[in-house]
Amino acid sequence: MSSGQSMLKDRVAMITGASSGIGAAAARLFAEEGAAVVLMARREEQLGALADDIAASGGRVLAVPGDVTSAADVERVVGAALKEFGRLDCSFNNAGYATVGTALHETDAGVYDRTMDVNVRGVWNCMHHQIPAMLERGGGTIVNTSSVAGIRASGAGAAYVAAKHAVIGLTRAAAAEYGERGIRVNALVVGSTRTEMMEEVLRKAPELEERFAADAIQKRVAAPVEVAQAAAWLCSDRSSFVTGAAMPVDGGATAA
Ligand SMILES: NC(=O)c1ccc[n+]([C@@H]2O[C@H](COP(=O)([O-])OP(=O)(O)OC[C@H]3O[C@@H](n4cnc5c(N)ncnc54)[C@H](O)[C@@H]3O)[C@@H](O)[C@H]2O)c1
């Protein structure tokens, strides 16, 4: 039962891919739930505008532009969090990259590289630098963004399917390695969500719009905040016995 207290009161949370979509919704929600938020994304202007907005509503926020494919950038963001707020309690590793799914033999190898780099190496880079900071303070929570494409061939393209499967693999391995040292690690199996990523896909393949909604038992796509709510819960103590999970937030798409 809810205690009525903010879910992330006094926590320090890092969120990647925070400039739009699910990441931006999480940035606002985590701040509303009492966390100091450290926002990372490549687009400096959007990130700055979001940070100004959160600060204007009384939130504690630090925006640090960077690319998750760069270990040095990620290390810099974790360092900035520690410098500004003294510790790192949770992280929502959410930055991702997708293109319209094409047949494997027609997909450029560069698309494969980029897809793996952002979705898999990005999550690896984040956990690699976040875990030492969490061990230092005796524990923490990490949530990585996977997809329905992380547990089934979703028609999203083989590189994306493979990358999101790998995110779940990294999540389970890290959960097993650090469970006894107080770090919980979970993944979100995200279904179709109305974000820039989806708009971009629909611009190139408008015929997919109906299929995205039809995929869910609820026959609609998600709003970004519905995914952010699950991330906030998994980052909070309310999910204290949940680790190594790949949790669907997909309107039932993977149940049917
Ligand atoms: N929208 C959907 O239907 C859907 C479905 C399943 C999973 N997902 C996953 O949700 C996550 C968030 O995506 P979204 O839908 O909010 O899309 P979005 O395009 O609105 O947001 C993606 C964010 O990631 C950032 N980003 C991309 N590459 C980056 C990099 N190299 N370094 C740092 N930041 C980078 C972008 O700047 C942006 O802020 C992704 O991991 C995506 O794969 C989305």
Side-chain angles (χ1 to χ4, degrees):
M1 212 200 302
S2 163
S3 63
Q5 202 179 50
S6 303
M7 245 199 295
L8 296 168
K9 190 170 184 313
D10 298 332
R11 298 292 158 93
V12 178
M14 175 171 164
I15 299 169
T16 73
S19 63
S20 66
I22 295 165
R28 291 180 195 281
L29 180 67
F30 280 40
E32 277 166 30
E33 288 292 340
V37 290
V38 179
L39 310 181
M40 178 184 193
R42 290 162 312 165
R43 292 173 296 179
E44 206 165 338
E45 221 173 282
Q46 278 101 322
L47 203 60
L50 175 64
D52 288 347
D53 229 32
I54 291 172
S57 315
R60 289 181 304 150
V61 57
L62 179 68
V64 194
D67 187 324
V68 293
T69 66
S70 157
D73 279 10
V74 173
E75 189 174 15
R76 192 165 46 78
V77 178
V78 173
L82 297 177
K83 186 159 179 248
E84 181 77 13
F85 298 118
R87 58 179 209 278
L88 182 66
D89 302 305
C90 12
S91 189
F92 183 29
N93 299 327
N94 162 77
Y97 170 78
T99 53
V100 177
T102 49
L104 193 154
H105 73 284
E106 289 168 343
T107 303
D108 192 86
V111 169
Y112 173 86
D113 288 342
R114 183 75 193 149
T115 306
M116 284 296 175
D117 249 19
V118 178
N119 294 292
V120 187
R121 186 185 291 275
V123 167
W124 166 273
N125 282 340
C126 285
M127 292 204 294
H128 191 77
H129 289 290
Q130 292 157 353
I131 285 170
M134 291 180 180
L135 289 174
E136 184 80 14
R137 63 164 287 277
T141 49
I142 296 175
V143 178
N144 298 319
T145 303
S146 182
S147 163
V148 296
I151 55 172
R152 68 174 204 206
S154 67
Y160 188 74
V161 170
K164 290 304 192 185
H165 273 68
V167 169
I168 293 178
L170 285 174
T171 299
R172 289 179 174 147
E177 263 183 65
Y178 298 101
E180 287 182 56
R181 290 195 264 173
I183 302 178
R184 293 188 297 109
V185 190
N186 292 291
L188 292 180
V189 174
V190 177
S192 297
T193 307
R194 171 98 26 210
T195 64
E196 269 187 29
M197 182 179 283
M198 177 184 275
E199 301 295 351
E200 177 69 21
V201 169
L202 291 179
R203 257 193 299 279
K204 292 177 186 154
E207 70 281 4
L208 290 178
E209 180 147 22
E210 260 176 51
R211 214 193 73 197
F212 284 150
D215 200 33
I217 290 174
Q218 291 175 289
K219 301 301 172 210
R220 65 173 178 86
V221 301
V225 70
E226 295 180 283
V227 181
Q229 281 161 353
W233 182 75
L234 284 173
C235 279
S236 79
D237 288 345
R238 296 193 192 165
S239 58
S240 51
F241 202 50
V242 183
T243 194
M247 189 173 110
V249 186
D250 65 353
T254 52

